[in-house]
Amino acid sequence: MRVLAVGAHPDDIELGCGGALLAHRARGDEVTLLVMTTGEQGPQDARSRIGEQEDAAALLGADLRWGGFDDCAVPTDRSAVTVVQDAIDASGADIVYTHAPLDTHQDHRATAAAVRAAARRARRVLLYESPTTTAFDPVVYVDVATLVEAKLDLLRAHMSQVLKNELVDLEAVEAQARYHGFRGRLRNAEAFEAERFVWDLGGAQPAVAAVAAAAVAPLVSRTGATVVVPRSRRP
């Protein structure tokens, strides 16, 4: 599977779906990160947030793309949609993760809108929670029971935010994983709203056809036999 995760700022993706992305990588899936801004308006450390995001991507084993927009000014017009569309095309994404739309940060809202527009033909689009999300009603849960500490390591790559941004609280991240795990009947989980999620059950249709064929076989095995389909069962 090829995966695209989109966030407005460095650390957004790791906070929202870092565990799910680690699970993808563990099963050999290709992961691409698209970060719309460099987060230059947020607290900085000795190293830039660009370097921190590069470290997190390397730790995850993911490709990294930048949107090139100014922090706190992700646009709501075609330009943002085009950047996301280009990332979808380049990555060949089978599934896209991004922000849930109800959020107090304008960049998160704009990114969510751009992704939902660009991914309008995608079959799987999942929306993650941020510390600034105002309403969140998840329906999809990913088991991250063995991946919580690895997710925290991804966040530690963003050390300037761990030390200086009270919204990036590692203890809260652990508690959130346990809470969503409880709701999802798991030990630890990441939770997602579903913009769209196609569940491919593989050979279900051929199996149904085989059962139907087996059911009528005794009727048509006799020479000249006619099968009469009751009116209630006719297509």
Side-chain angles (χ1 to χ4, degrees):
M1 185 178 290
R2 291 162 294 188
V3 181
L4 175 66
V6 186
H9 314 101
D11 80 20
D12 283 344
I13 294 171
E14 291 81 2
L15 279 167
C17 61
L21 298 184
L22 286 162
H24 278 294
R25 289 294 296 129
R27 52 176 254 155
D29 294 344
E30 299 175 9
V31 175
T32 299
L33 312 181
L34 171 61
V35 183
M36 301 294 272
T37 79
T38 60
E40 65 272 11
Q41 297 296 324
Q44 305 288 322
D45 207 343
R47 300 192 62 224
S48 72
R49 297 190 70 183
I50 296 174
E52 291 178 340
Q53 184 62 74
E54 290 173 344
D55 288 347
L59 190 60
L60 180 60
D63 293 330
L64 175 61
R65 298 171 64 97
W66 294 96
F69 298 109
D70 292 336
D71 191 9
C72 298
V74 175
T76 56
D77 59 21
R78 179 178 177 181
S79 60
V81 177
T82 298
V83 165
V84 178
Q85 183 66 66
D86 289 346
I88 292 174
D89 292 344
S91 64
D94 301 300
I95 182 168
V96 181
Y97 294 87
T98 195
H99 293 276
L102 299 180
D103 198 287
T104 58
H105 200 301
Q106 68 274 17
D107 282 350
H108 296 180
R109 297 195 303 270
T111 298
V115 173
R116 294 166 80 187
R120 58 192 175 277
R121 294 185 179 87
R123 294 185 176 183
R124 298 182 184 93
V125 182
L126 294 180
L127 311 175
Y128 58 74
E129 185 178 18
S130 297
T132 50
T133 299
T134 57
F136 190 66
D137 188 18
V139 294
V140 176
Y141 295 84
V142 175
D143 188 352
V144 297
T146 63
L147 298 171
V148 174
E149 189 59 37
K151 174 175 178 172
L152 297 180
D153 284 341
L154 294 179
L155 289 169
R156 290 184 184 105
H158 299 276
M159 188 52 66
S160 66
Q161 307 311 296
V162 172
L163 293 178
K164 300 182 179 182
N165 186 345
E166 61 184 14
L167 294 177
V168 184
D169 184 330
L170 300 187
E171 290 183 354
V173 170
E174 288 187 277
Q176 182 185 52
R178 183 70 190 97
Y179 169 72
H180 286 314
F182 176 77
R183 292 195 65 189
R185 310 302 187 262
L186 301 164
R187 178 63 187 174
N188 294 289
E190 283 186 338
F192 302 93
E193 293 181 337
E195 172 74 7
R196 186 164 45 262
F197 193 87
V198 175
W199 190 11
D200 184 0
L201 295 180
Q205 285 303 106
V208 171
V211 170
V216 301
L219 300 177
V220 300
S221 61
R222 293 167 296 184
T223 302
T226 301
V227 177
V228 178
V229 180
R231 183 179 299 277
S232 62
R233 298 184 183 177
R234 292 178 188 176

